[in-house]
Amino acid sequence: MTMAAVGELGLAELAAALAAGQIGSVEATTAALDRIEASQPTLNAFRVVVRERALADAAAADRRLAAGERLPLLGVPIAIKDDTDLAGTPTAFGCGGDFPAKTEDAESVRRLRAAGAVIVGKTNTCELGQLPFTSGDAFGHTRNPWSAEHTPGGSSGGSAAAVAAGLVPAALGSDGAGSVRIPSAWNNLVGIKPQRGRISTWPLAEAFEGLTVNGPLARTVADAALLLDAAAGPHPGDKHVPRALRVSEAVGRDPGRLRIALSLRIPFTATRTALDPEVAARVHALADTLRGLGHEVTTADVDYGVLLGASFLPRSMVGIRHALDRLPGAAVDPRTRHNALLGRVLGPALFAARAAEPLLRMRIGAIYDRFDVVLSPTTATPPPGVTEIDGIGTMATDALITAACPYTWPWNVLGWPSVNVPAGFTAAGLPVGAQLMGPANSEELLVSVAAQLESELKWYEQRPAPWWLEHPAA
């Protein structure tokens, strides 16, 4: 297959082609690496590329395939995010500086390798995953495959850009306030924020005081579910271990006639926010599609309350402080230093913030007494310009990111699953998304609904024009 043809295949399609002998892993991995190299000066999706090791792993996968061995991802090239340990490489988490190479893979990477995956590299993320932008002094700007002038989102923006551009068929990201769902929305991708603990965060027993989970980004629901199942599972040191699920088995399963709440209310924020009319229109259109599929969709807002934000802020800021403490000598933006200092100040509030979680689950979870699923916008706006975050102060940054992305963070406080599904495009051709939100351990239900929507809307058929292979950086 040509480099371009390999880039068109999804995760399951490429795994099937490898198992059938239609393509070899070295061939597929070389094609992925060549596309990454060609796109890097313009798209800038990767922080680390491990060409030599990836090709050695691919050659080993070809030998295993030839011997008749079969695993879910045997020989398939995928990417992980630069907050995840990959043995032999540093984990800079978007920061500048010289950091030692890790000696062991993270548990999620270990499981991906056990499923046969070939890891080709680590994708860019903003400093410590704080922003819905993927840029920083350490690596520059990662750009959106749908528009070079716009951000792919963040903080898993490198993973989203890599998948949307066809550099890899799927990638792993992480989500502490929407960092899988936001870039998925802004890149026409499916992004799953699973139940807390579904994918291990080890060597951390939990990440960002329980806010952050790992999750997949892919072009289809089946591919996202396949990657989730491959990466899922606990490490003995994990603080959170939900009951085991096989999420990919829910793809194609009839969810039945569901009661779905359409909630457009923005959770309480300290800064001014509003839902963009184009985003609202696309979410309403998605609700109409669900009605056409036989579901009962009713406008009913989630009762978020004020306490939710008071719980989120100490946990997130303390998480930033701890993440920066694990990177001695890191060169970071003054806004990162400010947030780490705020985390030190808010440390005494952490116990109360975490103790509030059961009460918040009861309050917000009351909506599931009347509904099976909640549908809401993933973001309040289309993707901002790629440089809009540059050179502004802390207060202006907070106002910008809150105005663009006020919808996703509550489910990180609760630890519950949520799935971004593509909701179409603005008049300017920019992707937007909506999230299907469920109670604890509801990934199977959410995936079955997402797959039902996908069968109707076929969002995976729309691909961006490959400007990143044709033009110099903007």
Side-chain angles (χ1 to χ4, degrees):
M1 293 184 182
T2 65
M3 182 171 71
V6 174
E8 290 295 309
L9 296 179
L11 187 70
E13 291 173 330
L14 184 52
L18 285 159
Q22 297 169 348
I23 188 173
S25 180
V26 169
E27 183 182 358
T29 302
T30 299
L33 291 165
D34 288 350
R35 288 174 70 84
I36 292 168
E37 181 179 351
S39 69
Q40 193 60 16
T42 49
L43 195 64
N44 190 23
F46 280 78
R47 183 71 182 267
V48 174
V49 180
V50 288
R51 176 178 281 268
E52 186 175 338
R53 179 172 182 184
L55 290 174
D57 289 346
D62 279 337
R63 291 191 292 270
R64 295 166 72 183
L65 286 162
E69 186 174 354
R70 296 293 180 266
L71 294 169
L73 300 178
L74 186 53
V76 180
I78 66 166
I80 61 172
K81 182 178 175 180
D82 191 32
D83 64 346
T84 303
D85 290 351
L86 180 66
T89 71
T91 300
F93 207 166
C95 300
D98 294 322
F99 307 108
K102 298 296 182 179
T103 58
E104 295 183 358
D105 290 333
E107 176 66 15
S108 58
V109 174
R110 187 193 71 78
R111 288 180 177 273
L112 290 174
R113 290 195 191 281
V118 174
I119 311 298
V120 295
K122 302 177 71 172
T123 57
N124 276 324
T125 176
C126 59
E127 291 177 3
L128 310 183
Q130 302 167 87
L131 305 171
F133 289 75
T134 298
S135 58
D137 290 342
F139 61 88
H141 296 84
T142 300
R143 296 177 182 270
N144 192 313
W146 294 93
S147 169
E149 301 304 319
H150 291 83
T151 180
S155 62
S156 304
S159 289
V163 175
L167 310 184
V168 289
L172 201 63
S174 61
D175 190 315
S179 289
V180 163
R181 289 162 288 163
I182 291 164
S184 295
W186 287 345
N187 286 272
N188 195 48
L189 300 176
V190 176
I192 302 177
K193 175 217 169 299
Q195 177 73 24
R196 182 185 298 153
R198 179 75 58 212
I199 299 177
S200 174
T201 55
W202 192 262
L204 300 177
E206 63 173 6
F208 282 75
E209 298 299 326
L211 294 178
T212 296
V213 302
N214 294 325
L217 302 90
R219 290 190 294 243
T220 69
V221 176
D223 284 353
L226 175 60
L227 187 60
L228 173 56
D229 282 345
H235 182 278
D238 285 351
K239 188 171 182 178
H240 308 282
V241 182
R243 61 181 175 84
L245 298 175
R246 293 293 298 173
V247 179
S248 57
E249 294 177 0
V251 177
R253 181 188 302 165
D254 184 359
R257 186 174 188 268
L258 301 177
R259 302 163 300 163
I260 299 175
L262 172 60
S263 177
L264 302 183
R265 174 186 290 172
I266 293 175
F268 174 79
T269 62
T271 57
R272 189 174 182 179
T273 57
L275 178 60
D276 181 277
E278 284 198 277
V279 177
R282 299 316 310 150
V283 176
H284 276 291
L286 201 69
D288 287 341
T289 300
L290 287 165
R291 292 186 181 102
L293 290 166
H295 301 296
E296 179 185 345
V297 182
T298 306
T299 299
D301 285 321
V302 176
D303 183 11
Y304 292 108
V306 178
L307 180 60
L308 191 66
S311 173
F312 174 78
L313 188 62
R315 294 170 70 170
S316 61
M317 294 299 112
V318 170
I320 289 168
R321 175 172 69 86
H322 289 161
L324 189 58
D325 287 346
R326 290 191 293 271
L327 292 168
V332 295
D333 188 275
R335 291 168 289 187
T336 297
R337 292 286 178 195
H338 173 274
N339 286 342
L341 177 60
L342 184 57
R344 200 168 299 278
V345 172
L346 292 175
L350 183 61
F351 177 82
R354 299 212 62 168
E357 190 174 305
L359 177 63
L360 292 167
R361 285 178 177 165
M362 288 179 60
R363 176 188 183 126
I364 295 170
I367 197 163
Y368 295 110
D369 294 337
R370 297 182 293 137
F371 298 97
D372 303 300
V373 173
V374 174
L375 171 70
S376 88
T378 300
T379 68
T381 70
V386 72
T387 61
E388 282 188 41
I389 200 76
D390 295 358
I392 61 176
T394 300
M395 291 183 64
T397 297
D398 290 343
L400 172 60
I401 64 178
T402 302
C405 302
Y407 281 104
T408 47
W409 60 271
W411 253 240
N412 294 88
V413 175
L414 303 173
W416 292 344
S418 176
V419 178
N420 175 78
V421 293
F425 296 81
T426 68
L430 298 173
V432 296
Q435 50 177 345
L436 299 165
M437 305 151 69
N441 299 303
S442 60
E443 289 100 323
E444 291 175 317
L445 174 63
L446 300 179
V447 161
S448 67
V449 178
Q452 192 180 49
L453 275 169
E454 182 180 82
S455 67
E456 186 76 14
L457 299 176
K458 296 180 171 56
W459 49 65
Y460 52 84
E461 293 180 349
Q462 295 173 288
R463 306 286 178 88
W467 58 264
W468 55 91
L469 299 178
E470 300 165 0
H471 303 294

Short mmCIF file of all heavy atoms in Angstrom, two decimals, residues 3 7 28-51 54 77-80 118-124 158 161-163 165-171 468-469:
data_model
loop_
_atom_site.label_atom_id
_atom_site.label_comp_id
_atom_site.label_asym_id
_atom_site.label_seq_id
_atom_site.Cartn_x
_atom_site.Cartn_y
_atom_site.Cartn_z
N MET A 3 1.86 5.18 1.11
CA MET A 3 1.84 5.90 2.38
C MET A 3 0.47 6.51 2.61
O MET A 3 -0.09 6.45 3.70
CB MET A 3 2.93 6.96 2.38
CG MET A 3 3.05 7.74 3.67
SD MET A 3 4.49 8.81 3.75
CE MET A 3 4.05 10.10 2.58
N GLY A 7 -2.57 5.66 5.51
CA GLY A 7 -3.13 6.71 6.34
C GLY A 7 -4.64 6.78 6.31
O GLY A 7 -5.25 7.36 7.21
N ALA A 28 3.62 -0.74 7.23
CA ALA A 28 2.65 0.19 7.81
C ALA A 28 3.33 1.18 8.74
O ALA A 28 2.99 2.38 8.76
CB ALA A 28 1.58 -0.59 8.57
N THR A 29 4.27 0.70 9.54
CA THR A 29 4.96 1.58 10.48
C THR A 29 5.85 2.56 9.75
O THR A 29 5.93 3.74 10.13
CB THR A 29 5.76 0.74 11.48
OG1 THR A 29 4.87 -0.17 12.17
CG2 THR A 29 6.48 1.61 12.49
N THR A 30 6.53 2.11 8.71
CA THR A 30 7.35 3.03 7.92
C THR A 30 6.49 4.12 7.30
O THR A 30 6.87 5.30 7.29
CB THR A 30 8.10 2.27 6.81
OG1 THR A 30 8.97 1.30 7.42
CG2 THR A 30 8.92 3.20 5.94
N ALA A 31 5.33 3.74 6.79
CA ALA A 31 4.43 4.73 6.21
C ALA A 31 4.00 5.75 7.25
O ALA A 31 3.96 6.97 6.98
CB ALA A 31 3.21 4.04 5.60
N ALA A 32 3.68 5.29 8.47
CA ALA A 32 3.30 6.22 9.54
C ALA A 32 4.45 7.15 9.90
O ALA A 32 4.28 8.36 10.03
CB ALA A 32 2.84 5.44 10.76
N LEU A 33 5.63 6.58 10.04
CA LEU A 33 6.80 7.39 10.40
C LEU A 33 7.14 8.40 9.31
O LEU A 33 7.52 9.54 9.61
CB LEU A 33 8.00 6.47 10.67
CG LEU A 33 7.90 5.62 11.93
CD1 LEU A 33 8.94 4.50 11.90
CD2 LEU A 33 8.08 6.47 13.19
N ASP A 34 7.00 8.00 8.07
CA ASP A 34 7.28 8.93 6.97
C ASP A 34 6.27 10.07 6.93
O ASP A 34 6.63 11.23 6.65
CB ASP A 34 7.29 8.18 5.63
CG ASP A 34 8.52 7.29 5.47
OD1 ASP A 34 9.45 7.40 6.29
OD2 ASP A 34 8.53 6.49 4.51
N ARG A 35 5.02 9.76 7.21
CA ARG A 35 4.00 10.81 7.25
C ARG A 35 4.26 11.76 8.43
O ARG A 35 4.08 12.97 8.31
CB ARG A 35 2.60 10.20 7.33
CG ARG A 35 2.14 9.56 6.04
CD ARG A 35 0.81 8.84 6.20
NE ARG A 35 -0.30 9.77 6.40
CZ ARG A 35 -0.95 10.38 5.40
NH1 ARG A 35 -0.59 10.17 4.15
NH2 ARG A 35 -1.95 11.19 5.66
N ILE A 36 4.65 11.21 9.56
CA ILE A 36 4.98 12.05 10.71
C ILE A 36 6.13 12.99 10.36
O ILE A 36 6.07 14.20 10.61
CB ILE A 36 5.33 11.18 11.92
CG1 ILE A 36 4.10 10.41 12.43
CG2 ILE A 36 5.93 12.02 13.05
CD1 ILE A 36 4.40 9.32 13.42
N GLU A 37 7.18 12.42 9.77
CA GLU A 37 8.36 13.23 9.43
C GLU A 37 8.00 14.33 8.43
O GLU A 37 8.43 15.49 8.56
CB GLU A 37 9.45 12.34 8.85
CG GLU A 37 10.73 13.08 8.49
CD GLU A 37 11.81 12.16 7.96
OE1 GLU A 37 11.64 10.93 8.02
OE2 GLU A 37 12.83 12.67 7.47
N ALA A 38 7.19 13.99 7.43
CA ALA A 38 6.83 14.97 6.41
C ALA A 38 5.95 16.08 6.97
O ALA A 38 6.01 17.23 6.52
CB ALA A 38 6.12 14.27 5.25
N SER A 39 5.14 15.76 7.96
CA SER A 39 4.19 16.74 8.50
C SER A 39 4.76 17.56 9.65
O SER A 39 4.20 18.60 10.01
CB SER A 39 2.93 16.02 9.00
OG SER A 39 3.23 15.25 10.16
N GLN A 40 5.83 17.10 10.24
CA GLN A 40 6.32 17.71 11.47
C GLN A 40 6.65 19.20 11.33
O GLN A 40 6.33 19.99 12.24
CB GLN A 40 7.53 16.94 12.02
CG GLN A 40 7.93 17.28 13.43
CD GLN A 40 6.84 17.01 14.47
OE1 GLN A 40 5.87 16.31 14.22
NE2 GLN A 40 7.00 17.61 15.65
N PRO A 41 7.28 19.66 10.23
CA PRO A 41 7.56 21.10 10.14
C PRO A 41 6.32 21.98 10.09
O PRO A 41 6.41 23.18 10.35
CB PRO A 41 8.36 21.21 8.83
CG PRO A 41 8.91 19.84 8.59
CD PRO A 41 7.86 18.91 9.10
N THR A 42 5.18 21.43 9.73
CA THR A 42 3.97 22.23 9.57
C THR A 42 2.92 21.89 10.62
O THR A 42 2.48 22.74 11.38
CB THR A 42 3.37 22.01 8.16
OG1 THR A 42 3.29 20.60 7.91
CG2 THR A 42 4.24 22.66 7.10
N LEU A 43 2.52 20.63 10.71
CA LEU A 43 1.49 20.22 11.67
C LEU A 43 2.05 20.19 13.09
O LEU A 43 1.38 20.57 14.03
CB LEU A 43 0.95 18.85 11.27
CG LEU A 43 -0.35 18.40 11.92
CD1 LEU A 43 -1.50 19.31 11.52
CD2 LEU A 43 -0.66 16.96 11.54
N ASN A 44 3.27 19.67 13.25
CA ASN A 44 3.97 19.66 14.54
C ASN A 44 3.18 18.91 15.61
O ASN A 44 2.91 19.42 16.69
CB ASN A 44 4.25 21.10 14.99
CG ASN A 44 5.19 21.17 16.19
OD1 ASN A 44 5.96 20.25 16.45
ND2 ASN A 44 5.12 22.26 16.94
N ALA A 45 2.82 17.67 15.29
CA ALA A 45 2.01 16.88 16.23
C ALA A 45 2.84 16.14 17.27
O ALA A 45 2.31 15.77 18.32
CB ALA A 45 1.15 15.89 15.46
N PHE A 46 4.12 15.91 17.01
CA PHE A 46 4.91 15.00 17.86
C PHE A 46 6.02 15.73 18.61
O PHE A 46 6.68 16.61 18.07
CB PHE A 46 5.52 13.88 17.01
CG PHE A 46 4.56 12.77 16.70
CD1 PHE A 46 3.61 12.92 15.70
CD2 PHE A 46 4.56 11.60 17.44
CE1 PHE A 46 2.71 11.92 15.43
CE2 PHE A 46 3.66 10.58 17.17
CZ PHE A 46 2.72 10.73 16.16
N ARG A 47 6.24 15.32 19.84
CA ARG A 47 7.38 15.78 20.65
C ARG A 47 8.54 14.79 20.52
O ARG A 47 9.70 15.18 20.49
CB ARG A 47 6.96 15.90 22.11
CG ARG A 47 8.04 16.44 23.05
CD ARG A 47 8.30 17.91 22.82
NE ARG A 47 9.36 18.45 23.68
CZ ARG A 47 9.16 19.02 24.86
NH1 ARG A 47 7.93 19.13 25.35
NH2 ARG A 47 10.17 19.49 25.56
N VAL A 48 8.22 13.51 20.47
CA VAL A 48 9.24 12.45 20.40
C VAL A 48 8.81 11.44 19.34
O VAL A 48 7.66 11.01 19.32
CB VAL A 48 9.38 11.72 21.76
CG1 VAL A 48 10.33 10.54 21.64
CG2 VAL A 48 9.86 12.69 22.85
N VAL A 49 9.74 11.07 18.46
CA VAL A 49 9.51 10.01 17.48
C VAL A 49 10.60 8.95 17.69
O VAL A 49 11.78 9.29 17.74
CB VAL A 49 9.54 10.54 16.04
CG1 VAL A 49 9.31 9.41 15.04
CG2 VAL A 49 8.49 11.64 15.85
N VAL A 50 10.20 7.70 17.82
CA VAL A 50 11.15 6.62 18.10
C VAL A 50 11.24 5.69 16.89
O VAL A 50 10.86 4.51 16.95
CB VAL A 50 10.76 5.85 19.39
CG1 VAL A 50 11.02 6.70 20.62
CG2 VAL A 50 9.30 5.42 19.37
N ARG A 51 11.75 6.21 15.79
CA ARG A 51 11.77 5.48 14.52
C ARG A 51 12.49 4.14 14.65
O ARG A 51 11.95 3.10 14.24
CB ARG A 51 12.42 6.34 13.43
CG ARG A 51 12.54 5.60 12.10
CD ARG A 51 13.15 6.49 11.02
NE ARG A 51 12.17 7.40 10.47
CZ ARG A 51 11.42 7.15 9.39
NH1 ARG A 51 11.52 5.97 8.77
NH2 ARG A 51 10.55 8.03 8.95
N ALA A 54 10.62 1.66 16.85
CA ALA A 54 9.34 1.30 16.26
C ALA A 54 9.53 0.32 15.11
O ALA A 54 8.77 -0.66 14.98
CB ALA A 54 8.62 2.55 15.78
N PRO A 77 0.76 0.60 14.18
CA PRO A 77 1.43 1.77 14.75
C PRO A 77 0.43 2.73 15.39
O PRO A 77 -0.59 3.09 14.78
CB PRO A 77 2.09 2.43 13.52
CG PRO A 77 1.26 1.99 12.36
CD PRO A 77 0.72 0.63 12.70
N ILE A 78 0.69 3.13 16.63
CA ILE A 78 -0.14 4.11 17.31
C ILE A 78 0.77 5.08 18.06
O ILE A 78 1.98 4.87 18.18
CB ILE A 78 -1.16 3.47 18.28
CG1 ILE A 78 -0.42 2.78 19.43
CG2 ILE A 78 -2.08 2.51 17.57
CD1 ILE A 78 -1.37 2.44 20.57
N ALA A 79 0.17 6.15 18.60
CA ALA A 79 0.92 7.16 19.34
C ALA A 79 0.34 7.31 20.74
O ALA A 79 -0.82 7.00 20.98
CB ALA A 79 0.87 8.50 18.61
N ILE A 80 1.18 7.80 21.63
CA ILE A 80 0.75 8.14 22.98
C ILE A 80 1.08 9.61 23.23
O ILE A 80 1.76 10.25 22.42
CB ILE A 80 1.42 7.24 24.04
CG1 ILE A 80 2.95 7.41 24.00
CG2 ILE A 80 1.04 5.78 23.83
CD1 ILE A 80 3.68 6.72 25.14
N VAL A 118 2.55 -1.13 18.08
CA VAL A 118 3.87 -0.57 17.85
C VAL A 118 3.77 0.93 18.17
O VAL A 118 3.05 1.67 17.50
CB VAL A 118 4.32 -0.76 16.40
CG1 VAL A 118 5.64 -0.04 16.13
CG2 VAL A 118 4.45 -2.25 16.08
N ILE A 119 4.49 1.37 19.18
CA ILE A 119 4.44 2.78 19.59
C ILE A 119 5.44 3.56 18.74
O ILE A 119 6.64 3.29 18.78
CB ILE A 119 4.77 2.96 21.08
CG1 ILE A 119 3.96 1.98 21.94
CG2 ILE A 119 4.55 4.40 21.50
CD1 ILE A 119 2.48 2.17 21.87
N VAL A 120 4.94 4.55 18.00
CA VAL A 120 5.83 5.30 17.09
C VAL A 120 6.34 6.59 17.71
O VAL A 120 7.30 7.19 17.20
CB VAL A 120 5.13 5.63 15.76
CG1 VAL A 120 4.81 4.35 15.00
CG2 VAL A 120 3.87 6.47 15.98
N GLY A 121 5.71 7.06 18.79
CA GLY A 121 6.20 8.29 19.39
C GLY A 121 5.19 8.87 20.36
O GLY A 121 4.14 8.29 20.66
N LYS A 122 5.56 10.07 20.85
CA LYS A 122 4.78 10.78 21.86
C LYS A 122 4.33 12.12 21.29
O LYS A 122 5.14 12.89 20.75
CB LYS A 122 5.61 10.98 23.12
CG LYS A 122 6.11 9.67 23.72
CD LYS A 122 6.99 9.89 24.93
CE LYS A 122 6.19 10.38 26.10
NZ LYS A 122 7.02 10.42 27.33
N THR A 123 3.05 12.41 21.45
CA THR A 123 2.48 13.59 20.82
C THR A 123 2.55 14.82 21.74
O THR A 123 2.59 14.70 22.97
CB THR A 123 1.01 13.34 20.45
OG1 THR A 123 0.29 12.95 21.63
CG2 THR A 123 0.90 12.25 19.40
N ASN A 124 2.53 15.99 21.12
CA ASN A 124 2.65 17.24 21.86
C ASN A 124 1.44 17.51 22.75
O ASN A 124 0.30 17.17 22.42
CB ASN A 124 2.81 18.40 20.89
CG ASN A 124 4.25 18.60 20.46
OD1 ASN A 124 5.17 18.40 21.27
ND2 ASN A 124 4.48 18.98 19.22
N GLY A 158 -1.90 17.17 20.22
CA GLY A 158 -1.00 16.44 19.32
C GLY A 158 -1.58 15.11 18.91
O GLY A 158 -1.49 14.71 17.74
N ALA A 161 -4.44 15.85 16.41
CA ALA A 161 -3.92 16.25 15.10
C ALA A 161 -3.34 15.06 14.36
O ALA A 161 -3.55 14.91 13.15
CB ALA A 161 -2.87 17.34 15.27
N ALA A 162 -2.63 14.20 15.07
CA ALA A 162 -2.02 13.03 14.44
C ALA A 162 -3.06 12.09 13.87
O ALA A 162 -2.90 11.53 12.78
CB ALA A 162 -1.13 12.30 15.44
N VAL A 163 -4.17 11.90 14.58
CA VAL A 163 -5.21 10.99 14.11
C VAL A 163 -6.02 11.63 12.98
O VAL A 163 -6.28 11.00 11.95
CB VAL A 163 -6.13 10.58 15.28
CG1 VAL A 163 -7.29 9.72 14.76
CG2 VAL A 163 -5.34 9.81 16.33
N ALA A 165 -5.11 13.81 10.90
CA ALA A 165 -4.28 13.92 9.70
C ALA A 165 -3.92 12.57 9.11
O ALA A 165 -3.27 12.51 8.05
CB ALA A 165 -3.00 14.69 10.03
N GLY A 166 -4.30 11.47 9.76
CA GLY A 166 -3.98 10.15 9.24
C GLY A 166 -2.54 9.75 9.45
O GLY A 166 -2.05 8.83 8.78
N LEU A 167 -1.84 10.39 10.39
CA LEU A 167 -0.46 9.98 10.68
C LEU A 167 -0.45 8.65 11.40
O LEU A 167 0.44 7.82 11.18
CB LEU A 167 0.24 11.04 11.52
CG LEU A 167 0.17 12.49 11.03
CD1 LEU A 167 1.01 13.39 11.93
CD2 LEU A 167 0.62 12.60 9.58
N VAL A 168 -1.41 8.44 12.28
CA VAL A 168 -1.63 7.16 12.96
C VAL A 168 -3.14 6.92 12.98
O VAL A 168 -3.93 7.88 12.92
CB VAL A 168 -1.08 7.17 14.41
CG1 VAL A 168 0.44 7.16 14.42
CG2 VAL A 168 -1.62 8.37 15.20
N PRO A 169 -3.57 5.66 13.06
CA PRO A 169 -5.01 5.39 13.03
C PRO A 169 -5.73 5.71 14.33
O PRO A 169 -6.96 5.87 14.32
CB PRO A 169 -5.08 3.90 12.71
CG PRO A 169 -3.79 3.35 13.21
CD PRO A 169 -2.77 4.42 12.99
N ALA A 170 -5.00 5.80 15.43
CA ALA A 170 -5.60 6.13 16.73
C ALA A 170 -4.46 6.51 17.67
O ALA A 170 -3.29 6.20 17.42
CB ALA A 170 -6.39 4.96 17.30
N ALA A 171 -4.82 7.19 18.75
CA ALA A 171 -3.81 7.61 19.72
C ALA A 171 -4.42 7.67 21.10
O ALA A 171 -5.64 7.80 21.27
CB ALA A 171 -3.23 8.98 19.34
N TRP A 468 -0.66 20.06 5.35
CA TRP A 468 0.57 19.91 6.10
C TRP A 468 1.67 19.18 5.31
O TRP A 468 2.82 19.18 5.71
CB TRP A 468 0.31 19.17 7.41
CG TRP A 468 -0.38 17.84 7.19
CD1 TRP A 468 0.22 16.63 7.01
CD2 TRP A 468 -1.79 17.61 7.13
NE1 TRP A 468 -0.73 15.66 6.83
CE2 TRP A 468 -1.98 16.23 6.90
CE3 TRP A 468 -2.90 18.42 7.25
CZ2 TRP A 468 -3.24 15.67 6.78
CZ3 TRP A 468 -4.16 17.86 7.13
CH2 TRP A 468 -4.32 16.50 6.90
N LEU A 469 1.28 18.55 4.21
CA LEU A 469 2.27 17.90 3.34
C LEU A 469 2.63 18.77 2.16
O LEU A 469 3.51 18.42 1.37
CB LEU A 469 1.73 16.56 2.84
CG LEU A 469 1.39 15.53 3.91
CD1 LEU A 469 0.82 14.28 3.26
CD2 LEU A 469 2.61 15.18 4.76
#
